[in-house]
Amino acid sequence: MNETTNLSVKAAQAIILQHVKALAVETVGLEAALGRVLAELIRANRDQPPSDVSAMDGFALRSADLLREPGAAPARLTVVEDIMAGDRPVKTVLPGQCARIMTGAPVPMGADAVIRVEDTRSLAEDMVEIGRPVDVGNDIRPRGDAMRQGEVVLTAGTEITSGVVPVLATVKCAQVRVYRQPRVAILATGNELEALSAAFDPEKIPDSNSYALMAQAQELGLEPVLLGIARDDAQELAQFLRRGLDYDVLLVSGGSSVGVHDHVRPTLAELGVTMHFWRVEMRPGHPVAFGTTDRSLVFALPGNPVSSMVCFEQFVLPALRRMMGNRRLFRRTLTATLAHPLKARPGRTEFVRVVLTRGAGREDSPAWVAASTGNQSSGALLSMAQADALLVVPAACAGLAAGATATVVLLDGGAFQSEPGFEE
Ligand code: AMP
Ligand code: MG
């Protein structure tokens, strides 16, 4: 194996992404499109709204009718028509007249403004009094305000969020062209491991990595398959790995280090996987390897539970997102202030599990304060359960002082907070 070793996180990400492209395109119904990525450009097929419509329940009128001398009596207008949403107005509004109009209803000929009902006083069924003027165009949504026919409204590579779904519905995209989702297989390795379904044995180590990786892939909307646990035996491992290579992406945890029973990398190579790199200068996560066949990506992830999860975050996630057609491959980062000093050993990029809270929000300091979740051992499973984000300590850095600023990478649940967080 002549793979590159001891590279930086970014160099490793770059090598991975050189080998990844978006998968083939397929068609899904709009009901199943959430979380998928558009593979086509979408244009508006109509003006929306289709005509000038009222933005309020009120009266459509001629704004000039409301211009009065100071101290003059309020204007009185005759109501000549009732227009509901979906109606087509039949009358033209003449001077001294208005039409009762509902939100979304077309503005009748002759009217150039709408006044909301709360600013009027009804004198009779067909007579309304209005004591204040309105500008031309008041409370009218002009034709094509939301979208114009022929306009590009969505481009390929757009993730279909809850904001995108109604746009697709508006342009009548009942069937959407999206990128196919990667098929992901997950394999655990190690003689010491106990399957979730196996009888409890106090001597064994419960397999948590399979479920960590499963959940991380599920967070992306994928449906990963668990292949089970392979023992540290080259032949048994080869059988499992062969099955895994039928998938678009194979995630193997454990057995990728330097121990004499760490067979994963040599066995992958024997099965024809081209190994591109091994070992990245990061903590946790050092013994991570990446390889490809002509149809699969293979990630040999470290066995330590936190290392495996952090390597998924840094390496597997951007690859899967690119396969899914996304343009945005990386999680959002923020700047946070450290709540306490942090020691670090220089030489490797460190990812520290942190909890984020809102700071005092002083203008000269970032609004977020980061505090360690505690035990940062690569086996400390609870540190990931509690973390909102991974705080990045650059490789050259020997530690950070309390109050220092640092970049944090949000984890999925870290995009939420306990309070709305805005003033109004
Ligand atoms: P390895 O990379 O195989 O040397 O494993 C490193 C550490 O991670 C060992 O303490 C293993 O017991 C542990 N480990 C490996 N695989 C898993 C797994 N699937 N679930 C939980 N812990 C694991
Ligand atoms: Mg092992």
Side-chain angles (χ1 to χ4, degrees):
M1 282 182 278
N2 55 354
E3 77 269 73
T4 322
T5 69
N6 301 81
L7 57 179
S8 69
V9 173
K10 281 190 180 167
Q13 289 170 337
I15 291 176
I16 292 165
L17 292 176
Q18 276 167 20
H19 292 90
V20 186
K21 56 183 193 325
L23 296 177
V25 173
E26 64 183 8
T27 302
V28 297
L30 188 55
E31 317 77 52
L34 186 72
R36 304 294 292 271
V37 180
L38 262 184
E40 59 181 334
L41 176 142
I42 305 284
R43 290 180 186 276
N45 62 348
R46 61 192 345 155
D47 284 346
Q48 188 62 20
S51 63
D52 294 355
V53 297
S54 179
M56 290 286 171
D57 293 334
F59 295 89
L61 46 73
R62 305 167 73 98
S63 56
D65 279 350
L66 303 187
L67 293 176
R68 330 283 293 168
E69 294 294 325
R76 291 184 170 187
L77 302 178
T78 306
V79 182
V80 295
E81 190 177 11
D82 265 28
I83 312 168
M84 290 176 29
D87 284 354
R88 198 177 277 184
V90 290
K91 298 213 171 111
T92 297
V93 174
L94 301 174
Q97 296 183 341
C98 66
R100 187 174 288 110
I101 193 164
M102 302 299 131
T103 303
V107 176
M109 297 272 288
D112 64 7
V114 166
I115 189 161
R116 56 185 194 151
V117 70
E118 295 91 326
D119 292 339
T120 68
R121 196 161 76 91
S122 178
L123 298 180
E125 180 64 13
D126 64 348
M127 182 66 66
V128 65
E129 188 176 76
I130 302 166
R132 47 159 291 208
V134 291
D135 293 333
V136 172
N138 188 67
D139 280 334
I140 293 177
R141 283 170 52 212
R143 173 180 181 160
D145 188 41
M147 59 175 74
R148 293 193 169 280
Q149 178 164 11
E151 175 192 355
V152 174
V153 288
L154 299 166
T155 55
T158 301
E159 182 170 341
I160 302 178
T161 60
S162 60
V164 170
V165 168
V167 176
L168 291 165
T170 297
V171 303
K172 307 278 287 178
C173 249
Q175 300 288 317
V176 195
R177 306 271 290 156
V178 296
Y179 294 99
R180 182 168 79 70
Q181 290 195 300
R183 296 164 58 246
V184 178
I186 294 167
L187 177 65
T189 70
N191 294 348
E192 76 281 26
L193 297 182
E194 176 182 283
L196 185 59
S197 58
F200 179 86
D201 177 348
E203 307 273 287
K204 294 223 157 184
I205 303 294
D207 169 22
S208 59
N209 290 355
S210 292
Y211 297 91
L213 297 168
M214 173 196 79
Q216 288 179 297
Q218 287 173 337
E219 272 178 352
L220 302 178
L222 305 179
E223 294 172 13
V225 172
L226 301 192
L227 299 180
I229 302 169
R231 296 171 57 79
D232 292 316
D233 167 273
Q235 274 183 4
E236 179 172 326
L237 189 61
Q239 279 179 10
F240 274 97
L241 292 176
R242 229 179 256 119
R243 280 179 54 209
L245 292 173
D246 285 341
Y247 291 78
D248 298 309
V249 177
L250 170 58
L251 307 179
V252 187
S253 74
S256 70
S257 196
V258 288
V260 282
H261 300 293
D262 287 337
H263 300 296
V264 170
R265 292 183 319 107
T267 309
L268 284 170
E270 275 163 32
L271 293 174
V273 178
T274 307
M275 298 307 293
H276 299 288
F277 69 71
W278 177 44
R279 298 208 279 216
V280 176
E281 295 297 0
M282 63 193 287
R283 188 178 295 117
H286 188 243
V288 57
F290 170 68
T292 53
T293 66
D294 51 5
R295 50 170 307 225
S296 305
L297 305 182
V298 186
F299 293 86
L301 304 169
N304 274 308
V306 180
S307 309
S308 163
M309 292 191 78
V310 170
C311 286
F312 182 103
E313 280 288 318
Q314 289 302 315
F315 306 122
V316 183
L317 180 137
L320 291 174
R321 285 183 62 86
R322 175 166 283 177
M323 293 171 108
M324 294 166 74
N326 273 293
R327 287 180 299 224
R328 293 178 180 178
L329 305 184
F330 301 99
R331 287 214 196 269
R332 181 158 293 176
T333 54
L334 303 173
T335 303
T337 309
L338 254 177
H340 49 72
L342 205 60
K343 274 195 219 135
R345 266 181 292 158
R348 294 184 185 172
T349 305
E350 290 202 26
F351 295 95
V352 181
R353 283 77 81 195
V354 293
V355 174
L356 296 177
T357 46
R358 294 276 297 195
R362 290 196 354 248
E363 273 178 24
D364 58 344
S365 73
W368 294 101
V369 175
S372 164
T373 57
N375 182 358
Q376 294 289 322
S377 145
S378 57
L381 263 177
L382 288 177
S383 66
M384 282 303 277
Q386 294 156 353
D388 293 321
L390 299 174
L391 182 144
V392 184
V393 184
C397 183
L400 295 166
T405 55
T407 300
V408 298
V409 187
L410 290 182
L411 296 168
D412 194 64
F416 292 87
Q417 55 185 359
S418 50
E419 299 293 332
F422 55 81
E423 305 297 329
E424 55 186 339

